[in-house]
């Protein structure tokens, strides 16, 4: 089934933030920001800006009517700088004007002098100086220290991995409107309506029930709007609260790129030990996370890095520690995978470095160490593994040995073109690792004409969650999909929502919808008994294709008649259901628990061709066996997998976030930040669903597909590295992603400047 939004998308009828009609008297906002990464404000003169014709207000931190704080996990992030600035792009003043152009002009009239302090941009330096957001966290399994003496082979190394710009199509933005009684309605491009509601209430000093947040859909998020949408909504709402007028702020692409945080860069040290049969006996890893200037979601991202530090492998002895390092960059934030890909990249680097020294392929090590059912993850959860099944079906479908032979033959016959091949197994946990967030609600109404309306906490951002929720209702009531309508996500209809994130949105909100529909259906069955010609209370009642069946026999009762009779009998046709994921828990004091409702597994192979004269490369193919579960919507899931793969490839290859030593973003436009285009995408992507009969806690057994596929992109890095080694085997393996063409060219000829 196609997405229920596809026709409106194609016709340009879908409503995004900038499509909302403007109310007369709307003011346009723009922020004046710091041009220094770290310093003290010694002068701030807003008089010229304030006096400019068309400017209604220029607000600074002292004008905030509530608390100057938007930190979600930790209260360490001022909405506007008071005395100290912590990164370039930090808001200092807010201009409210009759037009965007006037607001921009006014910002240029603000006179601000900042005394510069020493800035820190490297997480290792931040760690050395004791600049940590939170105390370091660790997982320990077994005893690595006593195991090293038993290892036949021990390897150590370093891995560096850069950030990634979200580059959603719709930039950050919000539109706040005053409503009756001094309340405020906020339209926000956010993944977390309740987070926006909470931030607005905090900044304005209002109670949450006075703030209504509404989201019809957003034009992409990838995690960048899970927490970072809060600032723009809070600024607009503050302006509305003070002026009594609507306030809108849609960031320009330039503003969005330089003021917002990215995927977290990491640097890591690792040590890995093997026996003579390629079994990994011990693994130690230290992660240095570049959190930026404030916590944002960094502590939670750090935790998921630890949760995924061993990827799809069972290692009996693990010591993993992660440091959340404070630097003078915009606060980094959630990004598809939420720290998991960074953890997985480092273990794959360790395997890649070890393989040639053990005279084997990395895939030999990967296969020998796949986690099996009953094995324990470093965080204490027992695996219900599909890793070996995925690998076996991968080998059955794709002849890996033949692929490698073809690559070797090509490389023998070509001097200046070299191919590389890499296998990438994945294992990704599904659930929020903060237990309390694993809950959702759904409000379902059946109207008297038989149509159905549903509101949940899910935000549609292109991932097809509205379609899947509609499918749940259509499945339970056996109705055509056009009988179902999914309403906007609204904090007055569904309160206390978890953000649409962690690949858990369809599971949580779909399960709540399932429960609501089932509850209504049970009431409808009692109505059938009351109007059918039967006295049997235990009759088997079904609703199929708009008709009622009693003990498998068709009755003359239609869906419409059933709903009318239920209404006549004063039977409730509405239900508000609450779902909480069962059996998920975690105790950080012990570093053990059961944080995930299930895991998604898969295996891929990536082949690349490297031009050894120019450093350019092409991705020949990515072939995947992926664990869908029992897909509710193969078309949507296929699109998500393909998109995730290409986004992961972009992160590993061409997307290079570059800040200079002063904390200024140099890759601040599409002319200096390269994302994959049609020519950079793989020539072929072949996705095969994993065949399995294992049950899981996913909605209708359809496993999450939002984040796990991104990890297949890791294979591209190692395929390029293997091609480089074919050209120049003397080049030391240095793990420093992304592998841009410039880095490839340097690596091909042994440069030390990677």
């Amino acid at each position: 089934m196609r997405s229920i939004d596809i026709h409106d998308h194609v016709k340009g009828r879908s409503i995004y933030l900038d499509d909302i009609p403007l109310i007369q008297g709307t003011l346009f906002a723009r922020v004046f920001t710091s041009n220094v990464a770290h310093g003290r404000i010694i002068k701030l003169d807003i008089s010229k800006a304030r006096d400019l014709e068309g400017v209604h207000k220029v607000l600074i931190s002292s004008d905030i009517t509530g608390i100057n704080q938007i930190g979600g996990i930790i209260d360490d992030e001022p909405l506007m700088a008071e005395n100290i600035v912590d990164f370039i792009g930090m808001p200092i003043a807010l201009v409210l004007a009759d037009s965007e152009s006037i607001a921009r002009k006014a910002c240029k009239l603000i006179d601000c002098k900042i005394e510069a302090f020493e800035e820190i941009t490297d997480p290792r330096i931040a760690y050395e100086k004791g600049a940590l957001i939170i105390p370091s966290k660790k997982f320990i399994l077994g005893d690595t220290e006593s195991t090293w003496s038993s290892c036949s082979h021990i390897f150590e190394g370093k891995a560096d991995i850069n950030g990634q710009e979200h580059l959603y199509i719709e930039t950050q933005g919000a539109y706040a409107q005053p409503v009756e009684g001094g309340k405020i309605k906020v339209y926000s491009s956010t993944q977390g309506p309740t987070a926006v509601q909470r931030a607005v209430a905090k900044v304005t000093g209002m109670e949450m029930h006075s703030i209504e947040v509404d989201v019809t859909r957003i034009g992409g998020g990838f995690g960048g709007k899970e927490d970072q949408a809060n600032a723009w909504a809070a600024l607009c709402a503050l302006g509305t609260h003070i002026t009594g007028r609507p306030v809108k702020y849609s960031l320009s692409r330039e503003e969005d790129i330089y003021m917002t945080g990215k995927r977290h860069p990491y640097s890591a040290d690792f040590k890995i030990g093997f026996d003579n049969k390629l079994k990994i006996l011990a693994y130690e890893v230290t992660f240095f996370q570049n959190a930026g200037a404030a916590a944002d979601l960094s502590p939670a991202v750090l935790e998921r890095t630890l949760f995924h530090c061993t990827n799809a492998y069972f290692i009996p002895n693990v010591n993993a520690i992660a440091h959340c390092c404070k630097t003078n960059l915009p606060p980094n934030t959630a990004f598809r995978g939420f720290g998991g890909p960074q953890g997985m990249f480092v273990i794959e680097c360790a395997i890649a470095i070890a393989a040639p020294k053990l005279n084997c392929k990395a895939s030999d090590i990967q296969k020998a160490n796949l986690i099996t059912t009953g094995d324990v993850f470093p965080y204490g959860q027992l695996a219900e593994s599909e890793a070996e099944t995925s690998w076996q079906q991968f080998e059955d479908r794709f002849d890996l040995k033949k692929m490698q032979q073809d690559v070797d033959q090509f490389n023998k016959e070509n001097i200046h073109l070299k191919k590389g091949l890499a296998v990438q197994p994945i294992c990704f946990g599904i659930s929020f690792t903060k237990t309390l967030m694993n809950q959702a609600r759904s409000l379902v109404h059946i109207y008297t004409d038989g149509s159905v309306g549903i509101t949940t906490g899910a935000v549609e951002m292109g991932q097809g969650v509205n379609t899947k929720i509609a499918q749940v209702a259509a499945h339970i009531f056996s109705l055509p999909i056009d009988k179902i309508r999914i309403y906007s996500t609204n904090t007055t209809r569904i309160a206390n929502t978890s953000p649409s994130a962690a690949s858990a949105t369809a599971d949580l909100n779909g399960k709540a919808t399932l429960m609501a529909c089932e509850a209504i259906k049970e009431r409808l069955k009692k109505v059938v008994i009351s109007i059918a010609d039967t006295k049997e209370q235990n009759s088997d009642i079904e609703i199929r294709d708009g008709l009622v069946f009693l003990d498998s026999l068709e009755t003359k009762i239609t869906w419409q008649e059933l709903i009318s009779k239920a209404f006549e009998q004063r039977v409730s046709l509405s239900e508000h259901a609450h779902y909480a994921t069962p059996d998920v828990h975690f105790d950080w004091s012990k570093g053990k628990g059961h944080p995930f409702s299930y895991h998604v597994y898969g295996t891929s192979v990536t082949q690349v061709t490297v031009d050894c004269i120019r450093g350019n490369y092409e991705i020949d193919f990515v072939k995947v066996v992926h664990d869908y579960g029992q897909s509710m919507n193969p078309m949507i899931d296929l699109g998500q997998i393909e998109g995730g793969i290409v986004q992961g490839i972009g992160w590993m290859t061409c997307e290079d976030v570059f800040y200079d030593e002063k904390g200024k973003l140099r890759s601040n436009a599409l002319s200096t930040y390269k994302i994959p285009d049609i020519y950079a995408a793989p020539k072929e992507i072949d996705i095969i669903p994993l065949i399995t009969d294992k049950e899981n806690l996913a909605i209708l057994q359809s496993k999450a597909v939002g984040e796990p596929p991104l990890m297949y992109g890791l294979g591209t890095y190692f395929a390029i590295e293997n091609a480089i080694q074919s050209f120049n085997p003397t080049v030391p393996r240095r793990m420093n992603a992304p592998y841009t063409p410039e880095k490839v060219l340097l690596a091909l000829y042994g440069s030390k400047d990677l």
Side-chain angles (χ1 to χ4, degrees):
M1 191 191 111
R2 293 179 179 177
S3 165
I4 60 176
D5 293 324
I6 192 168
H7 293 294
D8 282 343
H9 286 349
V10 171
K11 295 176 182 179
R13 295 175 179 170
S14 298
I15 302 298
Y16 295 89
L17 183 73
D18 269 343
D19 298 306
I20 298 171
L22 293 176
I23 297 175
Q24 186 175 3
T26 294
L27 299 175
F28 295 87
R30 187 178 177 88
V31 291
F32 173 80
T33 64
S34 171
N35 61 358
V36 173
H38 191 204
R40 177 186 292 110
I41 299 172
I42 56 177
K43 179 184 179 183
L44 180 59
D45 183 356
I46 61 172
S47 58
K48 290 183 180 179
R50 185 183 55 213
D51 295 339
L52 181 67
E53 185 177 356
V55 171
H56 288 260
K57 284 281 185 181
V58 179
L59 305 178
I60 59 175
S61 61
S62 59
D63 295 311
I64 291 174
T65 55
I67 303 171
N68 185 22
Q69 186 55 241
I70 56 170
I73 295 178
I74 299 173
D75 286 342
D76 69 342
E77 185 176 357
L79 177 65
M80 290 190 279
E82 296 179 1
N83 298 310
I84 303 299
V85 295
D86 291 314
F87 62 93
I88 292 175
M90 185 175 186
I92 294 175
L94 177 69
V95 174
L96 304 175
D98 286 335
S99 69
E100 292 180 359
S101 60
I102 294 173
R104 284 196 298 270
K105 184 177 180 180
C107 283
K108 295 178 182 178
L109 297 176
I110 294 175
D111 184 11
C112 182
K113 298 291 188 294
I114 300 174
E115 177 189 359
F117 298 160
E118 178 188 16
E119 60 281 307
I120 301 173
T121 60
D122 186 320
R124 288 180 181 265
I125 294 175
Y127 175 72
E128 290 172 3
K129 292 179 176 290
L132 298 181
I133 299 284
I134 59 170
S136 301
K137 297 199 170 186
K138 67 170 61 177
F139 282 161
I140 296 176
L141 178 66
D143 185 353
T144 56
E145 196 59 38
S146 63
T147 305
W148 295 120
S149 60
S150 304
C151 296
S152 302
H153 310 277
I154 298 174
F155 307 100
E156 297 183 62
K158 176 186 175 186
D160 291 297
I161 187 165
N162 206 355
Q164 186 177 21
E165 165 62 38
H166 297 87
L167 214 74
Y168 22 67
I169 295 176
E170 179 189 37
T171 60
Q172 300 272 7
Y175 188 16
Q177 300 174 355
V179 294
E180 186 179 10
K183 311 299 189 292
I184 297 175
K185 183 172 185 177
V186 181
Y187 296 98
S188 174
S189 184
T190 179
Q191 295 172 237
T194 293
V196 164
Q197 183 187 30
R198 191 180 297 118
V200 168
K202 187 185 296 186
V203 168
T204 59
M206 301 169 69
E207 292 184 303
M208 288 177 68
H209 78 277
S210 297
I211 311 296
E212 176 186 355
V213 179
D214 190 272
V215 186
T216 300
R217 65 176 57 80
I218 65 176
F222 308 119
K225 297 176 181 177
E226 182 176 344
D227 217 48
Q228 300 220 336
N230 298 354
W232 320 110
L235 288 165
C236 290
L238 178 66
T240 293
H241 187 52
I242 290 174
T243 66
R245 294 176 61 171
V247 175
K248 182 179 179 182
Y249 194 2
S250 290
L251 274 65
S252 68
R253 180 63 66 186
E254 178 189 13
E255 287 179 301
D256 194 296
I257 290 178
Y258 91 85
M259 285 196 287
T260 62
K262 321 300 180 193
R263 182 189 293 279
H264 290 79
Y266 276 70
S267 187
D269 297 320
F270 61 82
K271 181 179 181 181
I272 191 166
F274 296 83
D275 67 12
N276 285 321
K277 296 181 180 179
L278 303 183
K279 284 286 188 180
I280 305 173
L281 300 182
Y283 179 58
E284 291 184 351
V285 59
T286 301
F287 296 102
F288 300 90
Q289 179 200 59
N290 192 330
D296 194 272
L297 293 169
S298 296
V301 172
L302 186 87
E303 291 169 5
R304 193 171 279 263
T305 298
L306 288 174
F307 281 118
H308 291 85
C309 69
T310 54
N311 191 12
Y313 313 115
F314 172 63
I315 304 175
N317 301 283
V318 177
N319 190 326
I321 186 168
H323 308 299
C324 186
C325 305
K326 180 175 181 175
T327 61
N328 296 116
L329 301 178
N332 287 312
T333 193
F335 200 126
R336 198 175 193 169
F338 204 78
Q342 292 95 319
M344 294 160 73
F345 177 74
V346 178
I347 183 68
E348 297 300 334
C349 288
I351 290 172
I353 285 176
K357 297 177 181 179
L358 294 173
N359 197 29
C360 68
K361 300 290 185 185
S363 58
D364 297 329
I365 298 174
Q366 292 168 327
K367 184 177 180 180
N369 290 280
L370 293 173
I371 196 164
T372 61
T373 297
D375 287 339
V376 64
F377 289 101
Y379 45 88
Q381 182 168 339
L382 295 179
E384 295 180 15
S385 179
E386 298 279 14
E388 289 187 322
T389 305
S390 170
W391 190 286
Q392 186 58 55
Q393 290 185 24
F394 168 81
E395 287 191 330
D396 291 344
R397 182 61 184 257
F398 307 117
D399 191 341
L400 182 60
K401 184 176 180 181
K402 176 68 163 52
M403 289 180 186
Q404 189 62 61
Q405 289 173 347
D406 290 345
V407 166
D408 293 341
Q409 185 63 33
F410 179 92
N411 289 342
K412 286 180 182 178
E413 296 172 355
N414 290 271
I415 298 174
H416 299 305
L417 291 176
K418 296 294 180 181
K419 289 187 180 292
L421 198 72
V423 178
Q424 184 59 63
I426 68 164
C427 169
F428 193 81
I430 304 298
S431 284
F432 287 99
T433 53
K434 190 173 184 179
T435 304
L436 69 84
M437 297 176 72
N438 293 293
Q439 56 177 304
R441 284 147 294 282
S442 179
L443 178 61
V444 177
H445 300 305
I446 300 179
Y447 295 96
T448 54
D449 67 351
S451 61
V452 180
I454 302 171
T455 301
T456 72
V459 173
E460 176 61 63
M461 50 185 163
Q463 81 278 42
V465 68
N466 281 356
T467 300
K468 289 188 174 183
I469 288 172
Q471 283 184 266
V472 170
H475 171 74
I476 299 301
F477 295 136
S478 191
L479 292 174
I481 204 74
D482 59 8
K483 282 279 190 181
I484 317 293
R485 180 183 174 189
I486 308 299
Y487 296 117
S488 64
T489 311
N490 187 289
T491 55
T492 64
R493 294 193 294 272
I494 298 293
N496 307 321
T497 61
S498 292
S500 291
S503 300
T505 309
D507 282 348
L508 292 173
N509 294 277
K511 290 269 192 173
T513 301
L514 181 73
M515 292 170 64
C517 292
E518 290 282 14
I520 296 173
K521 188 176 178 181
E522 285 302 310
R523 294 197 287 269
L524 291 176
K525 287 182 178 180
K526 293 179 181 179
V527 177
V528 172
I529 293 295
S530 73
I531 63 177
D533 187 18
T534 179
K535 295 182 180 179
E536 180 57 59
Q537 296 295 313
N538 295 320
S539 297
D540 182 23
I541 299 169
E542 291 182 84
I543 302 171
R544 294 202 306 259
D545 301 324
L547 295 172
V548 175
F549 289 76
L550 196 61
D551 293 328
S552 300
L553 298 176
E554 181 181 327
T555 70
K556 294 184 179 181
I557 305 170
T558 66
W559 170 259
Q560 175 63 64
E561 291 169 338
L562 175 59
I563 298 305
S564 296
K565 286 293 184 181
F567 185 64
E568 287 176 14
Q569 294 180 18
R570 297 183 295 177
V571 172
S572 174
L573 295 173
S574 298
E575 185 71 21
H576 181 242
H578 174 90
Y579 174 75
T581 309
D583 302 323
V584 291
H585 57 88
F586 198 78
D587 185 348
W588 272 105
S589 67
K590 299 177 181 177
K592 302 296 178 187
H594 190 283
F596 300 115
S597 58
Y598 61 88
H599 290 80
V600 172
Y601 294 86
T603 308
S604 71
V605 60
T606 301
Q607 181 179 293
V608 302
T609 303
V610 174
D611 181 337
C612 300
I613 299 296
R614 299 172 180 84
N616 296 331
Y617 42 78
E618 292 184 340
I619 302 165
D620 301 329
F621 59 72
V622 180
K623 298 180 183 292
V624 180
V625 170
H626 184 73
D627 182 13
Y628 290 82
Q630 298 174 23
S631 177
M632 287 174 60
N633 196 312
M635 288 184 69
I636 286 177
D637 288 349
L638 184 64
Q640 285 291 293
I641 294 169
E642 290 177 343
I645 289 171
V646 173
Q647 193 169 50
I649 288 172
W651 177 45
M652 285 286 104
T653 58
C654 57
E655 298 186 47
D656 197 11
V657 177
F658 179 67
Y659 289 93
D660 65 21
E661 68 280 358
K662 293 295 183 181
K664 184 176 178 63
L665 180 66
R666 295 299 184 179
S667 54
N668 61 351
L670 291 177
S671 59
T672 51
Y673 185 81
K674 169 68 174 172
I675 63 169
D677 56 20
I678 190 64
Y679 303 105
K683 295 178 181 177
E684 176 189 355
I685 300 179
D686 192 0
I687 300 166
I688 308 299
L690 179 71
I691 300 171
T692 177
D693 56 3
K694 283 189 178 180
E695 293 191 358
N696 58 66
L697 289 175
I699 179 65
L700 300 179
Q701 302 290 301
S702 180
K703 283 191 172 183
V705 295
E707 292 171 292
L710 181 132
M711 269 60 80
Y712 296 127
L714 299 179
T716 306
Y717 182 94
F718 299 103
I720 293 172
E721 174 66 19
N722 290 337
I724 292 170
Q725 291 293 317
S726 296
F727 178 77
N728 187 351
T730 65
V731 173
R733 291 178 180 260
R734 284 166 289 178
M735 301 304 171
N736 186 346
Y739 237 146
T740 62
E742 293 86 352
K743 285 185 183 178
V744 170
L745 189 61
L746 291 170
L748 284 164
Y749 298 95
S751 172
K752 297 180 180 180
D753 296 327
L754 283 184

